[in-house]
Amino acid sequence: MLTEFAERFTRLRQDRGYTQQKAAEKLGVTPQAVSKWENGSSLPDAEMIRSIAQLMDCTTDYLLNHQASTLSQRNLESVQRQAEIENVIQKPILALEVGMGLVDMLVEENNNNYALIHKMRLDLGYRMGIIVPTIQLRDNITLGEKEYRILLHGREVVAPIQSEYPRYFYALEDALPTAEWRTVWPQGEWREKQETVPEGYVELSAMECIVRLLSEIILQHYDQILNRQLTADMVDMTHRRYPAAVEGVVPQQVSLALLQQVLAGLVAARVPINRLDYIIGYLEEHPLGGMKNILTALGEALR
């Protein structure tokens, strides 16, 4: 049972983009406990297994590899069919698809590539004050062996690009990759991993290059990523820290629709929206300012 649980828990954690640290935080345990579960040296107690099933959106029978009864199996199949229908209708906001030759890159523990995605989301939160939804990572057998692409609401926003995995890109420090990172090729090159990084250069793994591109794509298309729910989540976070800035104002005086439009416009202009309390206060005081004037005034104040 230990082996089956370890394999299934690890697969579920990785599929949901959780690092061991993040899974531990959500479950209220130490990262060491999660590590022991995954290497098969210990098994969580019954209460924790129920918590894991809830977090991973699966059954305890699945985690423990129990044979389900005929009735419960039918119920499970019904739930799975419903989930399939919902997945077809409600496509993930963001998805990174890779060819079969890049699957190892996604799950490679040595480079902790899932942690790179998490770090990128944290960095965008710190720099721009935005929430980045969970990014679905999946293989796609229709892509070339080492191709990858980025999807937004199920539509391709980055056409298949050939990756150089497992080689590393050595870029000049003053020409780090951006959304058009392929243009820096003349000022850098892909090589086998070097024991010492050449002076004046930065070493980037193939996954780091993909994550940098993904970060830029998120900023370029944040107006399509930001929805009412993400806007409401940001308001909730602001309310917890600055309740007086939100209570009685959102949505009573400042609607979520208006706030979403303003936040999307600011991010499009590369203006950080970390000061959501200030933004809400400004909109409360200038209800008829006009969108162009609002964005200009807030842009000057927040840059």
Side-chain angles (χ1 to χ4, degrees), residues 29-211:
V29 298
T30 65
Q32 290 77 13
V34 173
S35 178
K36 287 181 179 179
W37 298 342
E38 294 194 358
N39 64 32
S41 62
S42 71
L43 189 69
D45 60 28
E47 187 62 35
M48 181 54 65
I49 287 175
R50 284 194 289 271
S51 297
I52 292 170
Q54 184 176 11
L55 175 65
M56 301 300 182
D57 193 23
C58 68
T59 65
T60 55
D61 282 341
Y62 174 80
L63 286 170
L64 298 173
N65 198 24
H66 288 165
Q67 182 63 45
S69 66
T70 302
L71 181 59
S72 64
Q73 183 63 36
R74 286 175 184 165
N75 290 338
L76 178 59
E77 289 173 357
S78 177
V79 170
Q80 290 173 336
R81 291 193 196 99
Q82 182 63 29
E84 288 175 2
I85 293 171
E86 290 178 1
N87 287 337
V88 170
I89 297 173
Q90 298 288 342
K91 295 185 182 297
I93 296 177
L94 284 164
L96 171 63
E97 292 187 343
V98 301
M100 297 306 294
L102 297 180
V103 171
D104 287 344
M105 180 189 69
L106 288 187
V107 298
E108 191 173 322
E109 288 291 336
N110 289 338
N111 287 335
N112 211 358
N113 286 328
Y114 279 84
L116 287 176
I117 297 285
H118 179 62
K119 183 176 180 298
M120 178 266 289
R121 294 172 71 196
L122 287 178
D123 178 64
L124 286 177
Y126 177 76
R127 286 194 295 118
M128 296 297 297
I130 65 175
I131 293 179
V132 177
T134 300
I135 299 166
Q136 187 176 93
L137 309 178
R138 62 195 184 205
D139 59 90
N140 183 339
I141 61 174
T142 67
L143 291 175
E145 181 71 6
K146 288 194 174 184
E147 286 184 340
Y148 69 90
R149 66 175 184 166
I150 298 171
L151 305 179
L152 176 61
H153 296 295
R155 296 183 178 181
E156 187 178 274
V157 289
V158 173
I161 296 176
Q162 184 76 15
S163 173
E164 294 287 336
Y165 174 79
R167 293 196 297 171
Y168 286 71
F169 189 72
Y170 291 86
L172 286 169
E173 272 184 316
D174 58 357
L176 287 178
T178 63
E180 300 299 327
W181 72 278
R182 285 165 289 174
T183 62
V184 306
W185 280 4
Q187 301 174 63
E189 59 181 305
W190 290 95
R191 308 182 196 172
E192 300 298 323
K193 186 172 178 59
Q194 306 293 298
E195 290 186 10
T196 303
V197 179
E199 185 176 354
Y201 283 78
V202 174
E203 178 187 81
L204 298 168
S205 69
M207 188 63 182
E208 285 175 308
C209 290
I210 293 174
V211 168

Side-chain angles (χ1 to χ4, degrees), residues 12-14 16-20 22-23 26 55-56 114:
L12 287 167
R13 175 182 66 77
Q14 293 175 341
R16 280 151 183 76
Y18 294 146
T19 62
Q20 288 187 347
K22 189 64 175 178
K26 287 184 171 290
L55 175 65
M56 301 300 182
Y114 279 84

